[in-house]
Amino acid sequence: MPDSKFQQFLTRENAAVVLVDHQVGLYSGVRDTGLLELKHNVVSLARAAQVLRLPTVVTTTAADSMWGPLIPEFTEVLPQGTDVIDRSTVNAWHDSRVHDRIKATGRKKLIFTGISLEVCAALPAIAAAAEGYDSYVAVDASGTFSDTKRETGIVRLQQAGVIVSDYATLMVEILADNAAPEAGETYEALDMAFAVLVGQISAAYSRQS
């Protein structure tokens, strides 16, 4: 395996997903991307992670007061009985329950998303990297409250050596083989518009032949 984390690939055996603070109160302030697209991307990432059987850690902060519950679209796709960790710390990594649950996955490559990008996703990703984990952030499954926050958040992530990508690329990298039995279900979960269109075109040609 290459020595540099930037040359190593995500796999089903080395990756886990950490979804931080996808709560209604925080979503109400998102301004750097469309809410429908953001919700779509978060839900699609969560669904694909389940298809690929990736350990997934879900957190909220001040769910009973300041920031409210998880957005319903996300809650609907979580496996029944998912234990969501509600905390008070700004940085999810600083909550011992979150830290211990991530450590218990045994995975060294962590994919983070969060609302907001520069706090909920970036701060634990940077903290994890400082402890020797390889941190990734799916920027299109994270949102924040201004374009400036988004731009400076991404710069800070890159300065800290966190790998930034998009939700679909990370999951397809983990899928690795389009001949895998889970490939069709993975792409269905990702719900990429162009891929759906290609499938429709292919199906139409198949009916004609």
Side-chain angles (χ1 to χ4, degrees):
M1 178 179 289
D3 291 334
S4 170
K5 65 183 178 183
F6 298 103
Q7 297 172 324
Q8 296 171 2
F9 291 102
L10 294 160
T11 70
R12 304 182 201 203
E13 290 73 35
N14 66 18
V17 177
V18 186
L19 298 138
V20 183
D21 300 358
H22 291 277
Q23 297 167 254
V24 294
L26 292 166
Y27 268 69
S28 70
V30 170
R31 297 292 183 271
D32 65 320
T33 188
L35 282 182
L36 291 178
E37 180 179 1
L38 177 59
K39 289 178 178 181
H40 168 275
N41 295 350
V42 171
V43 168
S44 296
L45 173 63
R47 291 175 60 204
Q50 291 177 52
V51 173
L52 296 168
R53 299 189 178 184
L54 302 178
T56 301
V57 178
V58 181
T59 82
T60 56
T61 184
D64 293 330
S65 56
M66 188 178 297
W67 300 124
L70 293 171
I71 58 169
E73 296 90 342
F74 181 36
T75 302
E76 288 172 4
V77 301
L78 290 177
Q80 190 172 8
T82 296
D83 182 17
V84 178
I85 301 173
D86 189 59
R87 60 180 211 288
S88 62
T89 61
V90 170
N91 187 338
W93 195 259
H94 292 159
D95 185 291
S96 60
R97 297 166 299 164
V98 176
H99 185 279
D100 291 348
R101 187 166 301 175
I102 293 172
K103 184 177 179 180
T105 69
R107 310 301 175 89
K108 296 297 290 184
K109 293 185 178 292
L110 306 177
I111 299 169
F112 290 89
T113 77
I115 312 298
S116 65
L117 167 68
E118 78 288 352
V119 174
C120 300
L123 296 186
I126 292 169
E131 289 194 22
Y133 289 84
D134 296 338
S135 294
Y136 299 70
V137 170
V139 294
D140 61 346
S142 303
T144 190
F145 314 128
S146 72
D147 289 338
T148 299
K149 281 182 169 291
R150 181 180 186 84
E151 292 163 6
T152 56
I154 291 174
V155 169
R156 186 176 182 186
L157 286 167
Q158 293 173 323
Q159 289 170 333
V162 176
I163 299 170
V164 296
S165 189
D166 63 275
Y167 84 94
T169 295
L170 294 168
M171 293 297 103
V172 170
E173 181 178 331
I174 292 169
L175 173 64
D177 189 346
N178 287 320
E182 304 86 0
E185 191 176 358
T186 299
Y187 283 110
E188 182 179 356
L190 293 174
D191 192 29
M192 296 179 290
F194 78 91
V196 173
L197 179 59
V198 169
Q200 292 170 340
I201 294 171
S202 176
Y205 276 114
S206 297
R207 287 195 296 268
Q208 292 176 359
S209 57

